[in-house]
């Protein structure tokens, strides 16, 4: 309960008279004192006036006080000043104290030693940086009212149990502290179980949460499930759902139907890409649902202006959707090198649009120059679509190996890499070496 201001012992009648005066004073300010009926008030109007002025100096308005009038029962000396001093000490700027109280006025009733300090100590124990404590509490001040042995501890324990690295919990709290207030049984676990049921491996899901813990805030019934149904309705294959979510976790929290409808119409109108082809594009690069159409048109217009027929351009985009997200300035440099230095026909670009996704200075130029020095003539796919080590191996070989596709993703299976047949049975079956789904760049 809030502390009270102790003054001269008053008689019952005098107390009642002063209470009426204080209530009249509050009413004159526009404050509704009804909720203060069972609360012991200060002995004089002057003390109440001091409290009101103090709160107003912090930036609180009469409306703010009316939202939680019980704050007027807090003593300045025993409640307000100690609490505000501690909040400043842990990193909340003085100019933000009013905003903090608006968000969580119950903090004024808290004991610094018994309630506030243990929570801050708990956050530090999760590896939240000292300088981030104020930032975390400004985002989610209700943390100061949680019991340490309750929701906060269980949510952290559950996430660690599914594979989230303990050392990542601190950064996760800094990014999205709200998960500490989520109940495992009703919020976190149902979402995790649903995503796993779609084919998303628990290991990959744990890595996703480490980087984008805010997906725990997506409502399972209202947002996530409808978005998954939306993807299926637009032609995304069920076996590709896990891959799509792993590549772009935010997709399960977007206003997806409106975005996909808009993009499908745009792709059909501008690129002559039909619904089935659009589904293929989303499967390969789900970020396309959020890509600005103006950005898309820049790369499209650039390629059309270089003599690529619109029909071939559509095929290029379906094969390599990343093409429409490339910066035109870089595409210009790569195209100039392709025409002036490599002297290859446009047909090769149409067959291998991934050319534009590689760095000109760090991959295309140096590798092409190596080929020239050795007098090797080969496809762009052969010398660009491989690691530096594999490229060196190819240069040392006395033959040009056959073209091979990139990694393939199969639901419930391992990551299949070209050349994987040379891996021994022992290595192939090692649990530590098994890679589910596809490599995810988070």
């Amino acid at each position: 309960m809030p502390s009270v201001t102790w003054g001269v012992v008053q008689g019952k009648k005098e107390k009642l008279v002063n209470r009426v005066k204080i209530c009249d004073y509050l009413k004159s300010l526009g404050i509704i004192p009804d909720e203060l009926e069972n609360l012991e008030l200060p002995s004089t109007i002057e003390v109440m006036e001091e409290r009101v002025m103090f709160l107003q100096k912090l930036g609180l308005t009469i409306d703010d006080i009316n939202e939680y009038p019980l704050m007027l029962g807090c003593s300045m000396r025993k409640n307000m000043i100690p609490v505000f001093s501690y909040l400043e000490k842990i990193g909340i700027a003085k100019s933000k104290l009013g905003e903090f109280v608006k968000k969580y006025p119950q903090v004024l009733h808290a004991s610094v030693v018994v309630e506030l300090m243990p929570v801050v100590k708990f956050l530090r124990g999760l590896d939240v940086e000292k300088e981030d404590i104020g930032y975390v509490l400004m985002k989610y001040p209700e943390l100061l009212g949680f019991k340490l042995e309750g929701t906060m501890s269980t949510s952290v324990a559950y996430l660690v149990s599914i594979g989230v690295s303990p050392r990542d919990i601190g950064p996760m709290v800094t990014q999205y502290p709200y998960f500490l207030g989520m109940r495992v049984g009703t919020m976190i676990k149902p979402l995790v179980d649903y995503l796993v049921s779609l084919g998303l491996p628990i290991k990959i899901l744990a890595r996703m949460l480490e980087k984008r813990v805010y997906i725990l805030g997506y409502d399972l019934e209202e947002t996530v499930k409808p978005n998954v149904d939306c993807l299926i309705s637009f032609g995304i294959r069920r076996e590709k759902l896990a891959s799509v979510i792993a590549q772009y976790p935010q997709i399960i929290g977007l206003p997806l139907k409106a975005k996909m409808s808009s993009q499908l119409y745009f792709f059909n109108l501008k690129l002559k890409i039909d619904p089935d082809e659009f589904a293929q594009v989303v499967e390969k690069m789900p970020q396309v649902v959020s890509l600005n159409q103006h950005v898309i048109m820049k790369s499209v217009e650039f390629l059309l202006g270089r003599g690529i027929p619109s029909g071939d351009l559509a095929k290029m985009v379906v094969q390599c959707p990343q093409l429409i997200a490339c910066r035109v300035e870089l595409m210009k440099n790569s195209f100039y090198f392709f025409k002036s230095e490599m002297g290859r026909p446009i047909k090769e670009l149409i067959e291998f649009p991934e050319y534009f996704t590689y760095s000109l200075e760090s991959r295309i130029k140096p590798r092409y120059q190596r080929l020239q020095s050795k007098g090797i003539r080969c496809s762009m796919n052969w010398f660009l679509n491989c690691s530096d080590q594999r490229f060196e191996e190819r240069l040392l070989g006395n033959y040009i190996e056959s073209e091979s596709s990139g990694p393939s993703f199969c639901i419930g299976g391992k990551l299949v890499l070209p050349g994987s047949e040379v891996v021994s049975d022992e290595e192939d079956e090692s649990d530590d070496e098994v890679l589910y789904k596809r490599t995810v760049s988070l």
Side-chain angles (χ1 to χ4, degrees):
M1 291 297 292
S3 301
V4 296
T5 302
W6 298 98
V8 179
V9 178
Q10 299 171 303
K12 286 186 178 180
K13 188 175 181 180
E14 190 177 354
K15 274 188 175 182
L16 187 59
V17 170
N18 282 335
R19 188 178 188 88
V20 171
K21 288 181 179 179
I22 289 172
C23 288
D24 288 342
Y25 164 71
L26 294 175
K27 287 178 182 177
S28 71
L29 297 176
I31 297 172
I32 304 169
D34 296 355
E35 290 186 39
L36 304 177
E37 186 178 343
N38 298 318
L39 198 67
E40 190 162 351
L41 298 179
S43 56
T44 65
I45 290 179
E46 288 74 22
V47 175
M48 180 58 78
E49 188 176 21
E50 186 182 21
R51 292 180 188 180
V52 173
M53 289 178 64
F54 183 78
L55 292 171
Q56 287 180 319
K57 282 182 180 178
L58 287 175
L60 273 72
T61 64
I62 297 300
D63 288 339
D64 295 327
I65 296 174
N66 275 327
E67 285 290 321
Y68 190 76
L70 293 178
M71 67 177 73
L72 295 175
C74 295
S75 163
M76 283 184 58
R77 184 173 61 85
K78 293 184 178 181
N79 295 92
M80 297 185 188
I81 292 176
V83 166
F84 289 140
S85 297
Y86 183 69
L87 292 177
E88 282 190 76
K89 181 181 176 182
I90 61 176
I92 295 174
K94 190 172 184 178
S95 60
K96 296 285 186 180
L97 290 176
E99 183 183 342
F100 190 92
V101 173
K102 289 178 188 178
K103 290 182 177 180
Y104 186 58
Q106 293 87 343
V107 72
L108 295 176
H109 304 313
S111 163
V112 171
V113 175
V114 177
E115 296 167 278
L116 304 188
M117 290 178 70
V119 172
V120 171
K121 186 178 179 181
F122 176 82
L123 294 175
R124 292 287 290 123
L126 295 178
D127 282 342
V128 176
E129 298 291 341
K130 188 176 181 180
E131 58 269 23
D132 290 331
I133 293 290
Y135 172 77
V136 168
L137 292 176
M138 269 308 296
K139 287 179 76 172
Y140 193 33
E142 290 87 349
L143 281 177
L144 292 173
F146 290 164
K147 299 295 182 185
L148 303 186
E149 66 279 3
T151 306
M152 288 200 291
S153 295
T154 54
S155 59
V156 171
Y158 176 76
L159 291 174
V160 172
S161 75
I162 65 171
V164 171
S165 172
R167 69 173 179 269
D168 285 310
I169 294 293
M172 289 166 65
V173 172
T174 304
Q175 179 194 120
Y176 189 77
Y178 308 101
F179 79 86
L180 291 176
M182 295 178 182
R183 293 188 179 276
V184 171
T186 57
M187 294 188 71
I188 301 178
K189 190 174 184 297
L191 178 61
V192 169
D193 289 346
Y194 178 71
L195 294 176
V196 170
S197 74
L198 296 177
L200 199 64
I202 197 71
K203 290 181 181 179
I204 298 296
L205 180 54
R207 300 292 84 76
M208 285 168 51
L209 292 176
E210 287 170 1
K211 303 299 181 183
R212 295 182 173 85
V213 64
Y214 54 80
I215 66 177
L216 290 176
Y218 297 153
D219 188 281
L220 178 59
E221 299 298 332
E222 297 293 326
T223 305
V224 179
K225 287 184 178 180
N227 277 0
V228 170
D229 292 339
C230 175
L231 288 170
I232 294 171
S233 71
F234 274 85
I236 309 303
R237 291 168 289 175
R238 286 184 180 274
E239 62 268 25
K240 292 293 184 181
L241 288 173
S243 171
V244 167
I245 295 170
Q247 291 179 77
Y248 190 43
Q250 298 97 311
I251 201 167
I252 59 175
L254 296 172
L256 194 56
K257 187 174 182 180
K259 282 182 173 289
M260 290 194 71
S261 298
S262 173
Q263 292 295 65
L264 174 58
Y265 177 78
F266 174 80
F267 272 69
N268 186 256
L269 180 68
K270 299 293 184 180
L271 295 170
K272 309 304 179 193
I273 288 177
D274 64 35
D276 289 338
E277 291 172 329
F278 179 71
Q280 293 178 47
V281 170
V282 174
E283 288 178 356
K284 292 176 181 177
M285 193 181 82
Q287 293 87 345
V288 75
V289 303
S290 300
L291 200 58
N292 188 292
Q293 294 176 355
H294 179 66
V295 172
I296 295 173
M297 282 309 299
K298 282 186 176 181
S299 55
V300 168
E301 289 169 354
F302 169 76
L303 293 170
L304 290 173
R306 297 308 177 273
I308 296 176
S310 57
D312 289 331
L313 178 57
K315 293 176 184 176
M316 291 170 70
V317 172
V318 173
Q319 180 179 328
C320 179
Q322 291 78 7
L323 194 64
I324 56 176
C326 292
R327 290 173 54 194
V328 172
E329 295 80 7
L330 300 179
M331 292 177 73
K332 286 180 180 178
N333 295 335
S334 296
F335 185 81
Y336 178 79
F337 183 81
F338 174 83
K339 291 296 290 182
S340 62
E341 298 294 327
M342 298 171 70
R344 300 194 175 203
I346 290 291
K347 180 185 176 184
E348 289 198 33
L349 268 186
I350 295 172
E351 292 174 350
F352 189 67
E354 292 88 348
Y355 169 81
F356 287 106
T357 67
Y358 295 107
S359 168
L360 177 62
E361 298 300 329
S362 64
R363 178 166 292 200
I364 299 174
K365 274 187 181 180
R367 289 193 181 185
Y368 181 72
Q369 288 165 0
R370 293 287 301 281
L371 292 176
Q372 289 292 90
S373 66
K374 289 183 174 289
I376 297 175
R377 171 76 182 180
C378 61
S379 71
M380 293 194 295
N381 183 26
W382 186 86
F383 81 88
L384 290 176
N385 188 22
C386 62
S387 65
D388 289 339
Q389 181 180 346
R390 178 57 62 89
F391 178 68
E392 293 299 329
E393 291 171 355
R394 288 175 175 178
L395 288 183
L396 294 173
N398 295 319
Y399 63 96
I400 295 180
E401 64 191 79
S402 61
E403 300 286 345
S404 58
S405 60
S408 62
F409 177 85
C410 298
I411 192 73
K414 302 170 186 176
L415 181 68
V416 182
L417 293 169
S420 60
E421 63 277 0
V422 301
V423 179
S424 68
D425 292 339
E426 289 79 13
E427 289 174 319
D428 189 46
E429 294 175 1
S430 168
D431 288 340
D432 291 335
E433 295 298 324
V434 173
L435 296 176
Y436 294 92
K437 310 305 176 192
R438 66 188 298 175
T439 302
V440 181
S441 176
L442 293 173

